Amino acid sequence: MTALGMASLVHATTPVLVIHGGSGVIKRDMNPAKEKAVRAALTQALQAGYAQLKNGKAAMDAVTAAITVLEDDPNFNAGKGSVFTHDGKNELDAAVMDGYSLKAGSIAAVHRVKNPILLARAVMDKSPHVMLIGDGAEQFAKEAGITLVDPSYFRTEERWQQLQRALKEDKAAKPHADEETAKHFGTVGAVALDTFGHLAAGTSTGGMNDKRYGRVGDSPLIGAGTYANSGCAVSGTGWGEFYIRTVAAHEICMRVTQMRVPLRRAAAEVINQEIPSMGGNGGAIALDADGNVAMPFNTDGMYRGWIGADGAPHVAIYGDEDDGAGDPLPAVGSSSSEEP
Ligand code: ASP
């Protein structure tokens, strides 16, 4: 082996992958079959993403591999199984960001792209732009060789019934119950640290049930629902308007990289303090360049998981369930005792 080869082996970073499948878990609406299916999908997504990292692939490859699995699974509000707009359509948003190059790609309001995360990545890799929307994004998808499907592909009966309930409430001029709103936080996301020590983040969503007027949430907005730099990567899930107003993902990363706040504290400050104080709710996953993991949320639960040095997937759903990532809010002043 060459001296250079030895050096790169010695300095190889232990890869870590963290994923979420949305923070809209309502405990009493869960059942054993749904729980089982969700845990299996999260495990499969972790394994797919981690295989990339173990093979020396980039963090971005792990992010897109994991998210593709979740987009294809109808249990999550992304890709197949997305919520419906007020007009009865599935309208999808996604974004990726590479922390090393600070390159990003994003798409919004597409109706025919099977895996929106792959289109977001193509925007980053193959276009001079960062964000494409609607028909233009689909035209670009065609040219970039991204798989398009009939819009009916995304439909599930469960999501259709959620829309019907919301439409009834609209008619009765009743505000959607908070729980009904939270129920639709099913966005999926991933953050990864590769063997080169580089970070990446990605998020994919159907947005919020009954959305109208071309509403776009935080997920595809770089800095709001998705952000990565050389020291921190974040993907959010929750009431997007609040994540946009707090520029949540960027805010967490700035606290980590500029203010030197430990990752879990920084993530908890934004997710468990700032957003709820404004009336919002949701969660996020965050990862720093030392491999520290944070998965805070302020709802009943968040579909989540991580995989690190031991290669064993850790998956959790509820708030009172140990996800192995430690206390979300370490004491003020604590610094590097965050290893998961
Ligand atoms: N954040 C997403 C949005 O507002 C919703 C979600 O997390 O499920 O579009």
Side-chain angles (χ1 to χ4, degrees), residues 14-19 42-43 45-51 53-54 191-193 287 291 293 295 305-315 323 340:
T14 303
V16 182
L17 171 67
V18 192
I19 61 172
L42 292 171
T43 302
L46 285 170
Q47 284 165 340
Y50 196 66
L53 297 173
K54 286 298 270 185
V191 290
L193 174 68
L287 181 62
V293 172
M295 302 190 281
W306 65 275
I307 185 166
D310 65 358
H314 303 263
V315 163
D323 53 29

Side-chain angles (χ1 to χ4, degrees), residues 50-182:
Y50 196 66
Q52 299 287 321
L53 297 173
K54 286 298 270 185
N55 286 335
K57 294 277 183 61
M60 182 57 70
D61 294 319
V63 163
T64 53
I67 290 180
T68 304
V69 170
L70 300 175
E71 284 179 336
D72 291 346
D73 190 303
N75 286 298
F76 304 94
N77 173 21
K80 187 171 180 64
S82 287
V83 295
F84 283 90
T85 65
H86 185 78
D87 302 326
K89 292 184 184 154
N90 301 110
E91 205 161 87
L92 315 174
D93 308 330
V96 292
M97 183 156 188
D98 179 63
Y100 179 66
S101 62
L102 297 180
K103 284 185 173 173
S106 157
I107 54 109
V110 297
H111 303 108
R112 295 189 303 135
V113 178
K114 179 170 181 277
N115 291 108
I117 201 71
L118 298 182
L119 180 56
R121 181 163 186 185
V123 172
M124 180 181 82
D125 287 343
K126 300 181 180 171
S127 90
H129 308 299
V130 169
M131 187 167 195
L132 302 178
I133 63 163
D135 292 346
E138 290 188 355
Q139 178 63 36
F140 174 76
K142 249 189 239 165
E143 292 172 17
I146 298 287
T147 306
L148 297 178
V149 290
D150 187 87
S152 62
Y153 163 80
F154 300 105
R155 182 196 158 101
T156 63
E157 186 56 25
E158 188 185 338
R159 296 300 189 192
W160 183 251
Q161 291 310 327
Q162 275 177 358
L163 173 65
Q164 303 317 307
R165 285 199 293 279
L167 291 177
K168 256 192 212 150
E169 288 180 355
D170 288 346
K171 250 202 191 134
K174 269 208 279 177
H176 296 187
D178 272 359
E179 284 201 348
E180 191 60 28
T181 307

